[in-house]
Amino acid sequence: IIIKVRKTYITPAQIMISSSNSNRDFNKVTSLIVPYNLAVSGEDYYVYLVTNKEEVEVLKQLHKFNQTLPDIGLKMKTGLTVDFRNLDILRNEAEEGAIPLFYSQHIKQGKVQFPIKKDHEYVVTDQKGLIQDNKNYLFVKRFTAKEEPRKLQCGIYLAKNYPQYTKISTQNKLNFIDGLFCEMSECLVSGLYVIFNSTLYDEYYRILNGSTQVNSTEINSMPVPDIKIIQQMGRKLMDSKDLSEKNCNLILEGYCE
């Protein structure tokens, strides 16, 4: 990436973004002129390197929302347990005092499945920094392979499915969205799933972040609808019982017009 910066006291109306798909030369360069306030966002000064008109439309759609997860009392956090640094607390089988340790592999087709006969699915620990309340979360994979079609991959975790546990743990390669002040309802978690399983939000995150890591700081800065709208989306998802990306797109489209 080559960035040319010129200090000015006047905010420009437009900026030019040039890009090339060639790694060897700059013979095939395409240029795009976009509004400054579309490419440079807010007080955080995120720069969105859009390269085509389709990506511009993605930004326009989501910038209609003017709140973030923390604004509505939610926050994405990184999983608590770094497993290879805590080998002594890991268990392959359930035993007295053991609690589930959730990995990204437990996300399957939009839901969280446990157990899956994976090594080290349980931990035995009283370290407060490694355990969390068993309540509703949206789990989001922290790492995805470059060849995978989606960067944002998530699963609905409902505490009612595991009533035998009061505490759980999450592995460090898994992110989770939690309520800052109160527990999240099932319809709220389902609504968050609609958002982060949609094509629109996946495309937005690809513009925001070109790496294979899903960064919680960046997710927490993304624009989201009002919490009541997210709950409405969740109810529609729960009524349809269809967790597909296509259905999430249909639900979200109704609120982006």
Side-chain angles (χ1 to χ4, degrees):
I1 298 177
I2 300 174
I3 301 175
K4 180 180 179 181
V5 180
R6 182 177 62 193
K7 186 176 181 179
T8 176
Y9 293 99
I10 302 174
T11 301
Q14 299 174 323
I15 63 172
M16 176 183 290
I17 300 173
S18 301
S19 61
S20 172
N21 291 327
S22 172
N23 292 327
R24 294 171 178 260
D25 53 51
F26 294 98
N27 289 332
K28 297 180 180 180
V29 174
T30 59
S31 297
L32 186 69
I33 296 176
V34 298
Y36 176 89
N37 59 8
L38 185 73
V40 181
S41 177
E43 296 179 357
D44 295 325
Y45 292 104
Y46 277 105
V47 178
Y48 300 93
L49 298 178
V50 289
T51 58
N52 55 56
K53 293 182 179 179
E54 289 75 19
E55 291 180 348
V56 170
E57 286 304 312
V58 170
L59 293 188
K60 286 182 177 179
Q61 287 289 322
L62 287 198
H63 285 174
K64 293 178 182 178
F65 304 129
N66 57 9
Q67 298 184 95
T68 63
L69 288 177
D71 289 336
I72 60 174
L74 308 174
K75 190 174 184 179
M76 175 174 279
K77 304 175 183 179
T78 302
L80 307 181
T81 299
V82 181
D83 49 350
F84 66 86
R85 292 179 182 169
N86 294 277
L87 296 176
D88 58 317
I89 70 172
L90 303 179
R91 303 289 188 271
N92 291 333
E93 303 290 341
E95 63 180 64
E96 185 176 354
I99 61 174
L101 174 60
F102 289 96
Y103 294 78
S104 60
Q105 292 94 324
H106 288 109
I107 298 176
K108 295 183 180 296
Q109 299 178 331
K111 296 182 179 180
V112 175
Q113 298 182 18
F114 182 90
I116 57 173
K117 297 183 179 180
K118 181 188 182 307
D119 288 343
H120 304 154
E121 281 188 300
Y122 299 89
V123 295
V124 177
T125 182
D126 56 2
Q127 297 182 58
K128 292 183 178 181
L130 301 182
I131 58 179
Q132 59 201 90
D133 291 335
N134 181 22
K135 55 184 181 180
N136 298 337
Y137 298 101
L138 184 75
F139 287 168
V140 182
K141 290 185 179 182
R142 188 177 167 199
F143 294 94
T144 54
K146 288 184 178 180
E147 62 272 13
E148 292 187 81
R150 289 189 57 87
K151 181 169 287 190
L152 297 180
Q153 299 182 29
C154 52
I156 296 171
Y157 177 84
L158 299 177
K160 69 180 184 181
N161 295 333
Y162 307 94
Q164 66 272 41
Y165 300 107
T166 59
K167 301 289 183 180
I168 64 170
S169 187
T170 44
Q171 198 254 359
N172 191 248
K173 293 182 180 179
L174 183 70
N175 292 322
F176 61 92
I177 297 179
D178 188 13
L180 292 175
F181 310 111
C182 60
E183 294 186 20
M184 297 193 296
S185 64
E186 184 174 347
C187 69
L188 179 54
V189 176
S190 298
L192 290 171
Y193 177 85
V194 170
I195 289 175
F196 290 103
N197 193 52
S198 70
T199 304
L200 186 62
Y201 270 82
D202 191 68
E203 290 176 345
Y204 184 93
Y205 193 78
R206 287 177 183 275
I207 298 170
L208 181 62
N209 185 325
S211 74
T212 57
Q213 181 176 171
V214 175
N215 186 295
S216 59
T217 300
E218 291 172 341
I219 293 292
N220 287 325
S221 73
M222 292 173 64
V224 296
D226 181 78
I227 193 167
K228 291 182 179 179
I229 292 177
I230 298 176
Q231 291 170 331
Q232 291 173 13
M233 293 180 183
R235 293 187 189 98
K236 290 184 177 181
L237 185 75
M238 292 167 65
D239 290 341
S240 68
K241 299 180 181 180
D242 180 358
L243 298 180
S244 68
E245 182 176 350
K246 180 179 180 181
N247 188 44
C248 291
N249 291 341
L250 290 174
I251 295 173
L252 181 61
E253 283 172 7
Y255 297 90
C256 289
E257 298 175 352

